[in-house]
């Protein structure tokens, strides 16, 4: 793993990114309970350096509170420790940490309303804010709001666990693995580098789920432009987009075909041409994402027309024969999905070393101002800043059409989230689907087999959050 060290994240990370890293760490046998024990132990070490006579821990119901329970247990023999818990913990790890805490000589107050707060406990040397973790927003509900007000008005030194609770003052932030706010002191808790630089189940957690009051179209309106010499390609992309959560998918292609779940916008003739531009541009204007290239062919007129559609789109996925210089760029976000030959055609020769390839893809993505998915034995994804890798899974996925499926998944997810996040989730989900299908089909796998498991992997697996 040493050669991948250069791709480690630097600087402040978002809540979603850290959640993904945490989840990915599970795959490398560094469990959430291990991470909690490490975080709490390190937090206690920072406290002991200050040599307080008394410490108050304010703990919420999640794993941020669990970190506090662990730290309080470790501090029990070094200071007078008081813990205010906002009810019974909800996560299994926090429940276990709370159970262990109860076996130590500390004062514990389990409260549910502001009237139950022991205000005298705020007359202490240090207050440790373990109330709310990533994702918390103001205004706060009770009893959190009252706890924060009492903490803000106290004379105690305030330390925040991982990041401050919204509206809370803080004198020091002890962050774990990576900073989530400015000025944090970062401590390592043993999360493997691979959890950052390799795709995993955590990348699927970033995909926004439909809300309960979602309306038709909320999952994305996708346009697939392609077809001609390869008639099935745009249909594969379209079905993959539907299976990846898109609500409406239109196929604009010069082919005759029928799939009851897809809307075919039949283009006259046998290839995409300039005479179709007015219609294509109108369709692109109404679409959240345009996927251009599947089955398009190399007719110069087709390439020119499809490129113009990409440039008129808000977001786009560019695939297959359209991957040639000069590459078209959408108005907001673009994903390019080349294999090695297409990458070299568009950018530069690829080195054999995987880490050096990662640098080449990153440079190309930065130069093109797009997210690139380099398909290969190990897929490489970069947006010009971040780089992630994904082992390509089952050998049976060399069958034709799997790239068309990937472009459709990228398109659907791009309608829901950013290009880098969409690309990482798409690549990982397609490979995971391929591995699942390979168990049944072996070398007889066909691209449509992937459609059977995509939805479950993306939305109904272990990644519901």
């Amino acid at each position: 793993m040493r050669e991948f060290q250069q791709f480690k994240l630097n600087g402040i990370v978002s809540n979603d990114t850290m959640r993904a890293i945490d989840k990915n760490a599970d795959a490398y046998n560094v469990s959430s309970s291990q991470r909690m024990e490490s975080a709490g132990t390190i937090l206690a070490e920072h406290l002991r350096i200050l040599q307080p006579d008394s410490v108050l821990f304010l703990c919420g119901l999640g794993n941020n509170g669990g970190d506090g329970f662990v730290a309080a247990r470790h501090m029990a023999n070094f200071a007078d420790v008081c813990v205010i818990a906002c009810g019974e913990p909800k996560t299994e790890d926090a429940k276990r940490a709370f159970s262990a805490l109860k076996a130590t000589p500390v004062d514990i107050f389990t409260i549910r309303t502001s009237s139950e707060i022991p205000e005298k406990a705020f007359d202490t040397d240090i207050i440790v804010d373990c109330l709310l973790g990533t994702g918390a927003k103001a205004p706060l509900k009770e009893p959190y709001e009252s706890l924060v007000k009492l903490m803000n008005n106290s004379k105690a030194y305030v330390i925040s666990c991982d990041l401050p609770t919204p509206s809370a003052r803080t004198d020091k932030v002890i962050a774990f693995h990576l900073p989530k706010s400015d000025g944090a002191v970062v401590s390592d808790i043993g999360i493997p580098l691979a959890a950052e630089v390799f795709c995993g189940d955590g990348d699927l957690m970033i995909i926004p789920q439909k809300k309960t009051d979602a309306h038709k179209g909320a999952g994305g309106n996708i346009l697939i432009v392609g077809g001609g010499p390869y008639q099935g390609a745009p249909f594969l992309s379209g079905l993959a987009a539907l299976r990846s959560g898109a609500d409406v998918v239109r196929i604009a292609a010069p082919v005759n075909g029928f799939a009851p779940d897809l809307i075919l916008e039949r283009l006259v003739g046998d290839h995409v041409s300039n005479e179709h531009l007015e219609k294509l541009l109108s369709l692109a204007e109404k679409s959240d994402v345009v996927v251009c290239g599947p089955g398009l062919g190399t007719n110069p007129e087709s390439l020119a027309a499809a490129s113009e559609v990409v440039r008129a789109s808000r977001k786009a996925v560019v695939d297959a024969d359209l991957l040639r210089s000069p590459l078209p760029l959408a108005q907001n976000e673009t994903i390019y999905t080349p294999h090695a030959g297409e990458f070299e055609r568009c950018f530069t020769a690829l080195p054999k070393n995987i880490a050096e390839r990662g640098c080449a893809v990153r440079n190309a993505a930065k130069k093109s101002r797009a997210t690139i998915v380099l398909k290969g034995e190990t897929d490489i994804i970069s947006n010009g800043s971040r780089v992630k890798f994904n082992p390509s899974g089952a050998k049976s996925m060399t069958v034709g059409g799997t790239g068309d499926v990937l472009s459709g998944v990228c398109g659907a997810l791009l309608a829901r989230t950013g290009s880098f996040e969409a690309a990482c989730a798409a690549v990982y989900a397609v490979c995971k689907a391929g591995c699942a299908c390979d168990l049944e089909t072996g070398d007889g796998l066909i691209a449509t087999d992937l459609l059977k498991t995509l939805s479950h992997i993306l939305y109904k697996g272990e990644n519901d959050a």
Side-chain angles (χ1 to χ4, degrees):
M1 285 298 298
R2 189 178 298 276
E3 62 184 332
F4 295 98
Q5 186 69 30
Q6 60 188 303
F7 304 114
K8 180 173 174 56
L9 288 171
N10 292 306
I12 296 172
V13 297
S14 68
N15 297 339
D16 282 344
T17 297
M18 195 62 228
R19 285 176 65 229
I21 293 170
D22 268 325
K23 179 66 176 176
N24 287 346
D26 293 341
Y28 300 99
N29 297 311
V30 181
S31 67
S32 56
S33 60
Q34 287 177 281
R35 300 194 297 273
M36 181 177 289
E37 187 65 27
S38 294
T41 301
I42 289 168
L43 182 57
E45 289 173 356
H46 282 279
L47 291 170
R48 285 199 290 268
I49 291 172
L50 298 175
Q51 298 183 329
D53 292 324
S54 59
V55 183
L56 169 63
F57 289 85
L58 303 180
C59 298
L61 304 178
N63 285 346
N64 197 253
D67 295 341
F69 297 148
V70 173
R73 171 165 54 84
H74 282 283
M75 284 298 295
N77 295 323
F78 295 91
D80 183 12
V81 175
C82 178
V83 176
I84 298 178
C86 297
E88 294 294 324
K90 289 186 175 180
T91 71
E92 291 303 316
D93 292 326
K95 288 177 182 178
R96 284 190 286 267
F98 195 42
S99 177
L101 176 66
K102 291 178 180 178
T104 59
V106 302
D107 294 322
I108 302 174
F109 296 89
T110 303
I111 67 167
R112 289 174 176 78
T113 65
S114 57
S115 62
E116 298 175 294
I117 298 174
E119 296 188 14
K120 290 184 179 180
F122 287 80
D123 183 14
T124 185
D125 295 334
I126 295 177
I127 297 175
V128 185
D129 170 15
C130 304
L131 287 171
L132 296 170
T134 57
K137 295 180 182 179
L140 302 177
K141 296 179 180 179
E142 291 292 357
Y144 294 96
E145 184 176 3
S146 293
L147 288 170
V148 167
K149 285 182 179 179
L150 288 166
M151 177 171 61
N152 289 346
N153 292 330
S154 74
K155 296 179 181 180
Y157 187 80
V158 176
I159 291 180
S160 296
C161 174
D162 213 24
L163 78 171
T165 295
S167 304
R169 75 174 179 88
T170 187
D171 296 297
K172 188 175 186 179
V173 180
I174 308 300
F176 308 120
H177 189 67
L178 288 165
K180 295 90 184 172
S181 59
D182 286 322
V185 176
V186 181
S187 295
D188 185 79
I189 57 172
I191 292 178
L193 175 64
E196 281 188 29
V197 300
F198 280 82
C199 298
D201 283 347
D203 293 273
L204 305 182
M205 295 176 65
I206 294 177
I207 306 167
Q209 307 278 306
K210 283 184 184 177
K211 297 180 180 179
T212 53
D213 60 348
H215 57 81
K216 183 178 180 180
N221 190 318
I222 313 299
L223 172 66
I224 315 286
V225 179
Y230 305 101
Q231 299 187 10
F235 290 92
L236 277 172
S237 291
L239 290 171
L242 285 175
R243 285 297 189 184
S244 301
D247 281 352
V248 180
V249 178
R250 287 179 167 82
I251 308 296
V255 299
N256 293 315
F258 177 74
D261 300 295
L262 300 170
I263 301 170
L264 176 61
E265 301 284 352
R266 178 66 164 88
L267 305 179
V268 298
D270 60 1
H271 66 277
V272 177
S273 67
N274 290 331
E275 68 176 296
H276 305 133
L277 263 179
E278 183 177 353
K279 180 177 183 178
L280 290 174
L281 292 174
S282 176
L283 290 170
E285 185 179 354
K286 301 171 186 175
S287 303
D288 298 306
V289 178
V290 176
V291 179
C292 270
L296 186 67
T298 58
N299 184 297
E301 188 180 22
S302 298
L303 298 175
S307 293
E308 190 166 340
V309 174
V310 170
R311 288 190 287 269
S313 306
R314 288 186 289 275
K315 294 183 176 183
V317 178
V318 178
D319 186 34
D321 287 316
L322 195 55
L323 290 163
R324 58 187 68 242
S325 187
L327 285 164
L329 191 69
Q331 296 172 8
N332 295 334
E333 294 187 87
T334 309
I335 298 175
Y336 300 135
T337 59
H339 56 57
E342 292 163 340
F343 182 92
E344 294 188 349
R345 183 171 71 199
C346 296
F347 300 106
T348 185
L350 281 166
K352 292 183 179 180
N353 178 275
I354 187 66
E356 291 177 5
R357 282 194 168 206
C359 292
V361 174
R362 179 171 57 191
N363 292 338
K366 185 175 182 179
K367 182 179 179 180
S368 62
R369 295 179 290 127
T371 291
I372 295 176
V373 176
L374 174 62
K375 298 177 290 191
E377 185 176 352
T378 296
D379 303 313
I380 304 174
I381 309 100
S382 180
N383 60 354
S385 175
R386 294 191 64 186
V387 180
K388 295 194 79 168
F389 301 83
N390 184 73
S392 291
K395 59 183 176 63
S396 57
M397 290 181 67
T398 57
V399 66
T402 55
D404 300 314
V405 170
L406 176 62
S407 65
V409 180
C410 284
L413 300 187
L414 184 56
R416 295 184 179 225
T417 189
S419 59
F420 182 75
E421 292 76 16
C424 290
V427 167
Y428 180 74
V430 170
C431 288
K432 193 169 184 178
C435 290
C437 294
D438 183 74
L439 294 175
E440 296 183 9
T441 65
D443 288 352
L445 182 145
I446 59 176
T448 51
D449 291 335
L450 303 176
L451 304 176
K452 301 175 184 177
T453 55
L454 268 174
S455 293
H456 181 82
I457 289 168
L458 288 168
Y459 301 113
K460 291 296 182 181
E462 297 177 356
N463 310 297
D464 297 341

